[in-house]
Amino acid sequence: MDHATIYLVLAAAFGLFMAWGIGANDVANAMATSVGAKALTIKQAIIVAAIFEFAGAFLAGGQVTATIRKGIVDSEQLSGNPEYLVFGMLSALLAAGIWLAIASRRGWPVSTTHSIVGAIVGFAIAGIGMEAVKWGQVSSIAASWVVSPLVSGFIAFLIFLSVQKLILRTDNPIANARRYVPMYIFFVGFILSLVTLFKGLKHINLDLSVAQSYAIAVGCGLVTMAIGIVLIGRLKIKKKADKDFRFTNVEKIFGVLMIFTACGMAFAHGSNDVANAIGPVAAIVSVVASGEVSQSAALPTWVLLLGALGIVFGLATYGFKVIRTVGQRITELTPSRGFAAELAAATTVVIASGTGIPISTTHTLVGAVLGVGFARGMEAINLRVVGNIFLSWIVTLPAGAILAVFFFYTLKGMFTP
């Protein structure tokens, strides 16, 4: 294939840029509840995310990945022009990366999946035609705009109500926190293990049955609960601290919980969402090597490493803007509220994995934060910020598509006679 080296260099550069965008936006909002609740500082969140996102992306990011993300393009129609797939994937990476950079600068938490899907749809329409796009698949992804925040918001609302009933609105909240928080820690370990087993580790062919996955998740939950009990036992309860805010010591106990949720969510996220950056890169590498279009391709280690490094770099350099929006500007978060939001988001991901409901992790987490806010009444929510976030979600698909069309024709003009 002509220009093969140039295609590979551009794929590496644009893939790194897209991974940077995921780190700046998607990872940032996954860590936002921990920072907003003041369970972690931004610096600590970056260190936690760097370790666990990298581990998730590199260890469980996948040995084989779908070359055309989400099966939204009929690849048979590209078999006669494999170079079009190279131009398309380069365009999609650059378009989605630019949109994520714009959104991150504005502090908008947008879906990286929707960004890359919008971009691929744009190139497919421009390069092949309307009939190349599997519109049913695109519609189901678009439906997640509504499904994700509604489901996670409702679950977060119920979890926070349970925290209020069992702990916050009782006569002795500290004693009840010591009694019930270990049970919540068990559910955190259990649910996050299921997220990792169903979504994160599915690529490495563990070949576990559903029953085996649930058994492992129960074991992880029990171990996590035991560690949590030890850590809570070591906390120093200062009665004077409750003088200004009655629940200062209770929130300190929930702060222990937030450390577990932050680590687990970072691992699960890294293992799953790195595919949005490295999938198109793997497609380009496969076409350049074989000269043919295939549905899946072996994933070189350097591509996985590229995605993992890009995600960590994006969070460290630009993630603070989205962290501020989700963690501090939608509603006021405390460790107990942040925990309810993160557990609800993780639970929604598990439900979606089991039922096949398409969801966006970003929309899921924002919906969960809204659910916690609703539990305290509408006045607890910053509706102006929420309106801007919803608008950015609607714009994401067409923005990615329009940018991809522009870059597709530019690359095609540069590399074809």
Side-chain angles (χ1 to χ4, degrees):
M1 176 177 281
D2 294 337
H3 313 298
T5 305
I6 297 175
Y7 293 155
L8 291 178
V9 170
L10 289 178
F14 293 173
L16 187 64
F17 179 50
M18 174 65 183
W20 174 89
I22 294 174
N25 199 295
D26 214 22
V27 178
N29 72 52
M31 301 302 292
T33 47
S34 302
V35 175
K38 298 185 174 59
L40 295 173
T41 63
I42 285 188
K43 190 175 177 182
Q44 289 169 333
I46 289 170
I47 293 171
V48 166
I51 295 170
F52 286 93
E53 287 275 352
F54 185 88
F58 191 68
L59 297 177
Q63 298 302 310
V64 175
T65 185
T67 53
I68 301 177
R69 295 292 300 144
K70 308 292 183 187
I72 52 177
V73 177
D74 183 0
S75 60
E76 286 187 5
Q77 300 202 31
L78 284 162
S79 57
N81 294 293
E83 284 197 335
Y84 278 21
L85 181 61
V86 174
F87 301 149
M89 289 300 159
L90 287 174
S91 308
L93 285 170
L94 192 55
I98 288 175
W99 173 244
L100 287 176
I102 293 170
S104 301
R105 180 170 175 74
R106 309 272 311 181
W108 295 336
V110 297
S111 165
T112 54
T113 302
H114 289 183
S115 303
I116 196 75
V117 165
I120 291 175
V121 168
F123 116 73
I125 293 173
I128 318 168
M130 293 287 283
E131 68 282 2
V133 179
K134 296 180 180 175
W135 290 105
Q137 191 74 4
V138 174
S139 301
S140 69
I141 292 169
S144 70
W145 283 336
V146 180
V147 175
S148 309
L150 280 181
V151 173
S152 63
F154 181 65
I155 294 173
F157 181 83
L158 294 179
I159 292 173
F160 189 61
L161 283 187
S162 78
V163 171
Q164 287 182 319
K165 184 170 178 56
L166 294 174
I167 299 172
L168 300 180
R169 290 181 180 170
T170 60
D171 293 335
N172 195 343
I174 294 176
N176 285 325
R178 286 184 182 280
R179 180 182 305 156
Y180 292 115
V181 167
M183 291 169 55
Y184 286 122
I185 292 178
F186 169 81
F187 280 113
V188 168
F190 175 72
I191 292 293
L192 290 178
S193 299
L194 282 184
V195 172
T196 305
L197 290 167
F198 286 162
K199 295 206 72 169
L201 298 180
K202 64 184 179 183
H203 306 295
I204 64 174
N205 300 322
L206 273 180
D207 202 24
L208 295 172
S209 67
V210 173
Q212 288 171 323
S213 297
Y214 273 96
I216 293 172
V218 169
C220 291
L222 291 172
V223 170
T224 312
M225 184 171 73
I227 296 171
I229 290 171
V230 172
L231 292 177
I232 290 170
R234 291 181 178 177
L235 282 178
K236 292 180 179 175
I237 302 298
K238 298 177 181 176
K239 292 283 177 65
K240 287 183 180 176
D242 287 340
K243 194 173 178 183
D244 295 328
F245 177 54
R246 186 182 171 215
F247 303 116
T248 302
N249 284 304
V250 172
E251 294 295 352
K252 199 188 290 183
I253 295 172
F254 272 102
V256 173
L257 201 53
M258 291 294 292
I259 295 169
F260 288 103
T261 54
C263 296
M265 286 295 285
F267 185 90
H269 182 273
S271 62
N272 187 59
D273 284 22
V274 72
N276 284 331
I278 63 175
V281 178
I284 295 166
V285 172
S286 172
V287 172
V288 169
S290 67
E292 297 175 352
V293 175
S294 59
Q295 277 289 349
S296 62
L299 193 61
T301 304
W302 69 266
V303 175
L304 208 50
L305 193 61
L306 187 86
L309 289 174
I311 280 181
V312 173
F313 187 58
L315 174 67
T317 55
Y318 222 60
F320 65 95
K321 284 180 177 284
V322 176
I323 283 178
R324 191 180 297 150
T325 300
V326 179
Q328 298 172 342
R329 297 183 62 201
I330 295 176
T331 189
E332 185 186 355
L333 288 177
T334 60
S336 59
R337 296 169 197 158
F339 145 75
E342 283 204 358
L343 183 58
T347 305
T348 307
V349 171
V350 171
I351 293 171
S353 297
T355 59
I357 299 171
I359 61 159
S360 153
T361 50
T362 304
H363 296 190
T364 300
L365 190 69
V366 170
V369 171
L370 281 171
V372 169
F374 275 126
R376 295 188 301 129
M378 282 294 287
E379 64 279 6
I381 295 173
N382 187 333
L383 293 176
R384 190 175 64 81
V385 172
V386 173
N388 287 336
I389 290 173
F390 284 173
L391 188 61
S392 72
W393 290 357
I394 294 169
V395 173
T396 293
L397 271 178
I402 291 167
L403 286 169
V405 170
F406 172 76
F407 292 127
F408 177 79
Y409 282 122
T410 303
L411 289 167
K412 188 181 169 191
M414 287 171 63
F415 291 106
T416 54

